[in-house]
Amino acid sequence: MTTAAVRIGNCSGFYGDRIGAMREMLDGGELDYLTGDYLAELTMLILARDRARNPDLGYAKTFLRQLEDCLGTALDKGVTIVANAGGLNPAALAGAVRALAERLGLAVNVAHVEGDDLLARADELGFPGPAGKSGATRGMAPLLSANAYLGAWGIVDCLASGADVVVTGRVTDASVTVGPAAAHFGWAATDYDALAGAVAAGHIIECGAQATGGNYPFFTEIPDLNHPGFPIAEISADGSSVITKHPGTGGLVSTDTVSAQLLYEIGGARYPNPDVTLRMDSVSLSQDGPDRVRVSGVRGEAPPPTLKVSLNSIGGFRNATSFVLTGLDIEAKAALVRSQLESHLPVRPAELVWTLARTDHPDADTEETASALLHCVVRDPDPAVVGRQFSSAAVELALASYPGFTSTAPPGDGQVYGVFTPGYVDAALVPHISVHADGTRVAIAPAAQTLTVEPVAAPPLPEPPQEGAAVRVPLGRIAGARSGDKGGSANVGVWVRAGASDATGNRSDDQYAWLAHTLTVDKVRELLPETAGLPVTRHLLPNLRAVNFVIDGILGQGVAYQARFDPQAKGLGEWLRSRHIEIPERLL
């Protein structure tokens, strides 16, 4: 078995990430593998619409643009490329890569992984079916895509066949890292601790520059954030890793930048993947030198018996307009235009939602800062109801409503919006196929041992901190936060930074004790009133000095539904950090 650490870099965190990152990673230093994550729940909807227009598409086209510039370099340097850019059509992307290589005069072994696409079996598996099948008769929108999240063993088999490039459909984000590590070290399917370590490393690097200072709450401390480098995981045979980046690149790799990414889009102490369940509460971080963070102590358990399924459908049509309310009597102006518009609509849309954003300031010295925004969002299955009828009713008020009537832009036609629904399916019912360059198809067996994911008992609270004088300041004075979306839910991970100390001892331990005792579910609901009435679950992660909150339903039916102005909950953590709370002075 190989024992030397394997260097796995990342060059993409989403479809649309920095186009030059693949070149930067190949030129910047030594790598064994280069991975890319191009898929998200919204991306699957975008690719589904691409495929509906052209059955030869459905993959991330930017990946081909990157390879056109970089494929020869990767081959020269012996760097194997593994990416989930295949989206809904990995076979077509594999064919396109071969055609590109032929045009470039390169001999390339290209393999792919498929089987995740369950759209044709949606009725059989009990998902909302395509038009004309059971989904339609239940009144549900026709599905555009239905994809199970596969694991890493198909990638492992492709690499064992000698592939230089492996493209997949919907595998989990971490799987493009787990596959190369498992292939490199020859891990077995039951090497749970090692696999879990690779999942942790993959989760850290999967979002690109988010691990090197991007979207980081203490961003003013990051050197050269104009162009942060992309992350690298140096994974060892036992699954432990060091997260780093190429020398001389911008950004920072620290225990805090890594903590921020570890807390991104997670739930409780168990983080299930198709090949292993990572015990997030086992992860330990330590600084291992400049721009080097060691990830150790990771424990894993058998994977769950089911796979998550991403279901995307067309929800109907959506339109919106924003009225600008300036100066005095903001509430009365909002009430007037709301009453007028609703009474002028010939047909009330299925959904009509008003939101008043009080961005106005008294005695403001600019017109913009004297103004508030009244947003109106409508949704309906009929495009005419939210299109011509709604737009006409809004525009016709221009000379007959509140003083100073104006809007940010006139409403236009209704636009199609998507709906994301999570599903689950028995892993044994999902084909997992690796397809070698010569066309050989290998079926990957599901996990022989599985374990249903159950909540972990909450760890004991630390001793409460000493009482003392307190001051009302923003939570962000002592805490970082990272938030993100998972379907219609969102998570907010909050942590205090390691290493701070004072005359009384380790201040960060005291800060965590205060955080664990103070930032309860009730306190979060108080600080974030938009969560009132929604299910909120709290998870303690003492190793990371963190508390994670999962807020169900805050994003409605997913990102494309646009239930709130921050549809992916990216700013939710920063809103929480900005809220004022009583913090003991000695902790500041």
Side-chain angles (χ1 to χ4, degrees):
M1 177 186 293
T2 302
T3 57
V6 59
R7 284 174 60 88
I8 303 173
N10 168 280
C11 69
S12 176
F14 68 100
Y15 188 14
D17 207 346
R18 190 191 308 168
I19 194 73
M22 183 179 288
R23 166 60 61 191
E24 293 169 19
M25 291 299 286
L26 289 169
D27 289 347
E30 295 299 316
L31 292 174
D32 297 304
Y33 294 89
L34 184 57
T35 66
D37 176 17
Y38 293 79
L39 303 183
E41 290 157 355
L42 179 61
T43 313
M44 300 302 282
L45 177 63
I46 294 169
L47 296 179
R49 297 188 70 184
D50 281 353
R51 185 176 63 175
R53 288 189 288 264
N54 182 343
D56 294 329
L57 294 179
Y59 55 78
K61 297 185 287 292
T62 53
F63 177 72
L64 279 177
R65 288 174 54 198
Q66 291 173 304
L67 282 188
E68 185 165 11
D69 175 53
C70 298
L71 185 56
T73 302
L75 291 171
D76 290 343
K77 293 195 167 190
V79 178
T80 302
I81 295 175
V82 180
N84 61 12
L88 299 179
N89 205 343
L93 178 57
V97 173
R98 292 186 188 103
L100 172 65
E102 183 176 1
R103 180 162 58 83
L104 296 175
L106 300 172
V108 182
N109 184 316
V110 183
H112 74 274
V113 177
E114 62 184 31
D116 59 292
D117 191 344
L118 304 178
L119 183 62
R121 298 172 59 204
D123 213 41
E124 167 201 340
L125 297 172
F127 303 141
K133 295 195 175 183
S134 63
T137 62
R138 291 195 298 267
M140 297 179 179
L143 278 177
L144 285 180
S145 66
N147 296 81
Y149 288 72
L150 300 179
W153 294 108
I155 296 171
V156 173
D157 185 75
C158 288
L159 294 173
S161 75
D164 303 306
V165 177
V166 180
V167 295
T168 76
R170 178 71 275 189
V171 298
T172 67
D173 299 347
S175 290
V176 295
T177 298
V178 178
H184 183 80
F185 294 115
W187 291 336
T190 53
D191 287 333
Y192 296 134
D193 290 347
L195 290 167
V199 168
H203 179 60
I204 292 166
I205 71 171
E206 70 191 32
C207 288
Q210 276 196 174
T212 59
N215 297 348
Y216 177 61
F218 307 106
F219 65 96
T220 57
E221 302 172 5
I222 303 296
D224 189 16
L225 198 51
N226 286 331
H227 203 82
F230 273 61
I232 299 166
E234 298 176 352
I235 302 179
S236 297
D238 63 355
S240 64
S241 63
V242 171
I243 307 301
T244 186
K245 61 187 183 70
H246 283 320
T249 57
L252 176 72
V253 179
S254 70
T255 54
D256 287 304
T257 66
V258 171
S259 292
Q261 179 55 28
L262 271 173
L263 293 170
Y264 183 61
E265 295 182 343
I266 65 168
R270 286 190 166 106
Y271 184 67
N273 264 247
D275 305 314
V276 64
T277 293
L278 162 63
R279 287 296 298 258
M280 194 66 74
D281 54 352
S282 69
V283 179
S284 291
L285 304 178
S286 58
Q287 201 72 37
D288 196 51
D291 290 317
R292 293 179 64 83
V293 171
R294 183 165 295 280
V295 184
S296 60
V298 183
R299 297 290 175 263
E301 300 171 340
T306 58
L307 301 179
K308 183 180 177 181
V309 182
S310 171
L311 304 167
N312 283 287
S313 58
I314 295 299
F317 296 85
R318 178 186 184 277
N319 206 349
T321 192
S322 294
F323 299 98
V324 182
L325 315 175
T326 305
L328 304 176
D329 306 317
I330 296 296
E331 298 285 348
K333 290 172 179 174
L336 172 60
V337 71
R338 177 173 178 167
S339 172
Q340 288 178 312
L341 181 57
E342 291 190 14
S343 65
H344 283 65
L345 290 172
V347 177
R348 186 179 178 89
E351 295 182 50
L352 192 156
V353 180
W354 294 91
T355 306
L356 177 59
R358 292 301 302 264
T359 52
D360 55 303
H361 299 271
D363 193 24
D365 57 4
T366 67
E367 183 177 343
E368 186 172 1
T369 55
S371 301
L373 293 173
L374 178 64
H375 306 291
C376 182
V377 177
V378 291
R379 298 182 184 88
D380 198 90
D382 186 347
V385 170
V386 299
R388 173 176 42 81
Q389 294 178 17
F390 172 76
S391 297
S392 296
V395 171
E396 288 169 2
L397 297 176
L399 304 181
S401 189
Y402 62 88
F405 181 102
T406 188
S407 62
T408 56
D413 295 331
Q415 301 296 315
V416 168
Y417 72 90
V419 170
F420 170 82
T421 307
Y424 293 89
V425 62
D426 186 334
L429 299 178
V430 179
H432 185 171
I433 309 295
S434 67
V435 185
H436 300 176
D438 63 1
T440 300
R441 299 174 63 83
V442 178
I444 307 300
Q449 300 178 19
T450 61
L451 183 66
T452 300
V453 177
E454 299 287 351
V456 173
L461 286 170
E463 288 295 319
Q466 299 174 8
E467 295 184 6
V471 60
R472 188 172 180 80
V473 294
L475 174 63
R477 281 285 302 275
I478 67 167
R482 175 65 63 79
S483 58
D485 62 293
K486 275 297 182 185
S489 300
N491 92 292
V492 184
V494 185
W495 84 99
V496 296
R497 302 202 278 177
S501 62
D502 57 19
T504 64
N506 192 325
R507 186 191 298 162
S508 58
D509 285 347
D510 286 345
Q511 288 177 340
Y512 173 67
W514 174 85
L515 185 73
H517 282 273
T518 304
L519 204 60
T520 61
V521 168
D522 287 342
K523 178 58 72 172
V524 165
R525 287 200 175 108
E526 175 189 329
L527 296 174
L528 304 181
E530 290 180 18
T531 66
L534 297 174
V536 179
T537 307
R538 184 176 95 143
H539 305 278
L540 293 177
L541 297 169
N543 278 15
L544 301 176
R545 292 182 173 84
V547 182
N548 187 50
F549 296 89
V550 178
I551 305 166
D552 290 328
I554 192 169
L555 302 181
Q557 293 179 282
V559 173
Y561 184 77
Q562 294 188 311
R564 57 196 307 273
F565 88 104
D566 176 19
Q568 292 182 289
K570 302 303 185 187
L572 199 57
E574 286 300 290
W575 178 27
L576 180 60
R577 291 182 70 238
S578 75
R579 296 310 308 269
H580 287 225
I581 190 172
E582 297 284 334
I583 301 178
E585 286 184 340
R586 65 183 186 82
L587 298 183
L588 297 172

